[in-house]
Amino acid sequence: MNAKSLSKSDRIGIIGAGPAGIYTAHLLAKRGFTQVTLLEGSGSIGGKSVTVQRDGVRHELGTCFLHPGYDLVFPLLEELGMENAMRPASPRGGEIHFPGSSTSMQEWMLGGRGLSNILPGARLLASLRRYIELHREVWPDFHPGLPPQPERWEGLDMTFESFLRKHKLENLIPLFWITMFAQGYGDLKTTPTFYGLSWITPALVSAIMQSTLGRPSLLILPQGWAEVWQRLAHLHDMDIILNARISKIERPESGPAQVYWSSDGRRESESFDHVIMATPMQRGVELFEETSVEESEVFRSLKPSQMSTLLFEAARAPQGHCIRYYPGAIEGSSQGHVYGIRNSAQALGHTIDDRTFVAHQYCPTAQSKEDLLDRALTDLGIYGFEGVRAIEQRVFSYAPRFDQRGLEAGLPWRIEALQGQRGTWYVGGSVSFESVNDITHHANKLVARMAAVATDRSESLVLRAQAQRARVVRAG
Ligand SMILES: Cc1cc2nc3c(=O)[nH]c(=O)nc-3n(C[C@H](O)[C@H](O)[C@H](O)COP(=O)(O)OP(=O)(O)OC[C@H]3O[C@@H](n4cnc5c(N)ncnc54)[C@H](O)[C@@H]3O)c2cc1C
């Protein structure tokens, strides 16, 4: 397969207007690509960024937080006039609940009640420092997005929990359990070290350490994440076709790709010189009419987990902080227990007594919406919420990953080798680590690469005409 030539005036179709699709379109516009169209299967943009407004309070049912290491997001928010709106996600800190007792997140980190095996705060901070050093030793050239392929897997060929134990960092396990699990990145017992190190970076650990001094490590956007992508689309007056659920993509060896979808019972299609896949690729690969052996092997090896959120109202709620975690639920993750509950009004600093909450559930494999709802209602009863009324439930296929064998076979980096082949490019949470920090870094690199190989057709025509004129003059 050959890479197709690329020009800044080529027609580019982006499949999926989630954060990765919108951010990529923004970068392409900045780099001078002029004909970019987004095709979004649902009726709105933003993908897993789902902000629901109710009685003046915004609730995040998808993307929620950012930490101080989101270095490409901060300038973006500033550009969109949103930076000053950011605030600590949990003004009084989070709260950890155990059956019959609870403790603040900070106390817990620094050796508070509830966990018998936790060491005093000073030891914890020393271990966090040691972890940062270790991260830099084992992965000196690490960067977010898709980090470089490790030169050797020796020492990384184990679960993240084994890795921490091997390096005598067991006292970080409770904190890192929450740090991974709360974001839907799985438990330490089964997660490969590669993914643990990809999320718990030196930047995140530094933010956690700063939080012990009272600086927030977790930030929230009062206007909501959905607003970020809306504003970005508006800024560039992006060409977006909604309700265009793509069903087939033909990619002939030469000539443009043909993209098909149905709308109001009518079959629609559009041709593009290049296609950027900004949809989760474990499903996205099925859209190609023909796939190469390599595409098939790589994308079909991706295995997603599932995250589910439930917006609910409670007639009576137990007193507590705005963000509560239930570590007991993590052990039973396969049943999709509620592991985290957030009161959005409190998290956003509203003083009103709002008894609306968002509950989070995680499952390593897919479960039905009905089972998840039953489980959530049972758990909320156990946690002391009474008179619960479900308002809205969202279930997401989430964070597709390779297993350890796939990682060692280099599958994530083989995707990078596929970039541009048959006029097809890939961005988003299935080809980089799944967080907004990572997808923005990954897209940034990819678009820089596209811009580097792209010719500016109008410019090159002018240069060619000038060169011809010069030859004529010389010949004359
Ligand atoms: C509950 C939850 C909480 C999260 N919290 C955070 C957080 O706090 N911080 C953070 O950084 N990240 C968080 N994330 C992750 C973040 O939301 C994702 O990393 C991000 O949404 C990935 O963007 P994406 O564009 O790659 O994919 P998606 O958001 O999945 O977007 C893909 C888009 O493609 C569209 N699509 C799919 N198939 C087709 C098709 N056939 N045709 C046309 N369109 C199609 C979809 O409709 C969707 O709009 C969270 C995610 C969830 C689910």
Side-chain angles (χ1 to χ4, degrees):
M1 274 189 301
N2 289 322
K4 259 186 178 175
S5 67
L6 174 66
S7 139
K8 289 195 175 171
S9 54
D10 277 350
R11 285 158 305 162
I12 298 179
I14 302 183
I15 316 299
I22 297 282
Y23 186 70
T24 303
H26 157 72
L27 295 173
L28 287 170
K30 284 194 142 188
R31 296 266 187 179
F33 289 83
T34 51
Q35 294 205 64
V36 179
T37 300
L38 289 124
L39 297 150
E40 168 53 43
S42 72
S44 56
I45 67 167
K48 295 184 197 105
S49 293
V50 183
T51 313
V52 173
Q53 204 168 162
R54 225 175 145 263
D55 301 330
V57 179
R58 286 188 177 85
H59 303 271
E60 297 288 21
L61 299 194
T63 326
C64 191
F65 304 117
L66 64 163
H67 66 67
Y70 277 42
D71 54 345
L72 294 181
V73 176
F74 292 104
L76 182 68
L77 295 173
E78 198 177 351
E79 198 176 338
L80 297 173
M82 294 177 80
E83 190 208 22
N84 291 334
M86 221 158 27
R87 47 179 302 127
S90 174
R92 288 194 296 135
E95 195 169 34
I96 308 287
H97 286 256
F98 306 92
S101 73
S102 67
T103 180
S104 79
M105 184 94 174
Q106 202 165 8
E107 254 181 86
W108 187 59
M109 272 172 60
L110 294 176
R113 292 169 285 143
L115 279 182
S116 52
N117 63 346
I118 203 148
L119 297 171
R123 295 277 306 275
L124 189 80
L125 286 174
S127 293
L128 287 170
R129 253 183 242 117
R130 170 73 195 118
Y131 175 84
I132 292 179
E133 282 164 18
L134 182 62
H135 198 291
R136 290 185 176 138
E137 277 161 32
V138 299
W139 222 344
D141 45 0
F142 174 86
H143 55 75
L146 179 64
Q149 185 168 10
E151 276 176 24
R152 290 181 307 122
W153 284 95
E154 202 190 324
L156 300 174
D157 51 352
M158 59 189 79
T159 67
F160 197 34
E161 182 171 322
S162 305
F163 176 83
L164 294 173
R165 289 194 189 284
K166 182 177 164 201
H167 293 282
K168 310 215 175 328
L169 295 171
E170 353 351 48
N171 62 330
L172 295 182
I173 289 174
L175 172 63
F176 281 14
W177 265 82
I178 290 284
T179 311
M180 289 294 284
F181 203 91
Q183 298 291 325
Y185 299 141
D187 66 73
L188 304 190
K189 271 196 195 331
T190 55
T191 299
T193 295
F194 172 78
Y195 291 115
L197 294 175
S198 295
W199 176 239
I200 305 188
T201 58
L204 176 56
V205 174
S206 301
I208 293 172
M209 288 167 74
Q210 294 281 320
S211 75
T212 61
L213 303 172
R215 297 201 189 106
S217 62
L218 215 51
L219 301 160
I220 198 163
L221 301 172
Q223 286 148 310
W225 275 99
E227 179 71 15
V228 176
W229 316 120
Q230 292 284 356
R231 285 194 189 196
L232 208 47
H234 191 67
L235 182 73
H236 297 284
D237 197 14
M238 287 179 191
D239 180 27
I240 305 175
I241 305 179
L242 294 176
N243 299 310
R245 179 148 290 275
I246 307 309
S247 52
K248 187 169 74 166
I249 303 175
E250 289 171 354
R251 299 174 300 162
E253 284 295 330
S254 63
Q258 202 67 29
V259 175
Y260 296 88
W261 71 98
S262 296
S263 177
D264 292 333
R266 279 199 324 273
R267 199 157 159 71
E268 307 269 2
S269 94
E270 189 96 34
S271 69
F272 295 102
D273 301 304
H274 285 258
V275 169
I276 300 180
M277 302 300 292
T279 67
M281 279 309 294
Q282 71 277 11
R283 297 291 303 278
V285 66
E286 289 163 15
L287 303 179
F288 297 146
E289 199 193 33
E290 270 179 57
T291 47
S292 67
V293 174
E294 178 70 353
E295 286 171 340
S296 191
E297 186 187 337
V298 168
F299 293 122
R300 288 184 211 281
S301 305
L302 280 167
K303 297 281 174 283
S305 57
Q306 196 180 46
M307 277 260 265
S308 169
T309 49
L310 178 70
L311 182 68
F312 70 94
E313 221 172 36
R316 262 184 305 281
Q319 287 295 312
H321 291 196
C322 58
I323 297 178
R324 310 152 192 224
Y325 292 115
Y326 298 82
I330 295 173
E331 300 290 348
S333 67
S334 55
Q335 285 99 46
H337 282 289
V338 172
Y339 69 83
I341 298 177
R342 185 177 66 251
N343 179 286
S344 309
Q346 273 185 40
L348 293 169
H350 297 301
T351 47
I352 51 171
D353 176 25
D354 187 87
R355 294 207 197 104
T356 316
F357 301 82
V358 180
H360 285 246
Q361 291 160 279
Y362 165 86
C363 311
T365 52
Q367 288 192 20
S368 73
K369 258 184 129 168
E370 296 72 27
D371 287 352
L372 285 164
L373 183 59
D374 280 352
R375 167 62 63 202
L377 296 176
T378 307
D379 285 349
L380 293 175
I382 295 170
Y383 300 160
F385 291 82
E386 292 174 29
V388 170
R389 189 175 73 82
I391 300 167
E392 188 169 340
Q393 185 194 19
R394 293 284 181 135
V395 180
F396 305 91
S397 172
Y398 192 53
R401 299 228 176 121
F402 299 107
D403 60 17
Q404 185 64 34
R405 271 181 50 202
L407 291 171
E408 291 184 30
L411 297 185
W413 301 278
R414 278 161 60 184
I415 296 175
E416 287 311 289
L418 285 172
Q419 297 280 15
Q421 303 290 334
R422 284 180 99 157
T424 315
W425 307 81
Y426 307 92
V427 290
S430 63
V431 296
S432 72
F433 192 85
E434 177 134 26
S435 83
V436 174
N437 187 36
D438 289 277
I439 61 167
T440 50
H441 271 272
H442 181 263
N444 206 38
K445 276 215 151 96
L446 184 82
V447 174
R449 187 170 154 187
M450 290 175 80
V453 297
T455 53
D456 189 328
R457 205 166 272 158
S458 53
E459 221 172 73
S460 60
L461 284 177
V462 172
L463 289 176
R464 217 176 307 147
Q466 280 171 350
Q468 253 162 11
R469 259 200 309 276
R471 267 202 299 275
V472 171
V473 171
R474 244 179 269 132

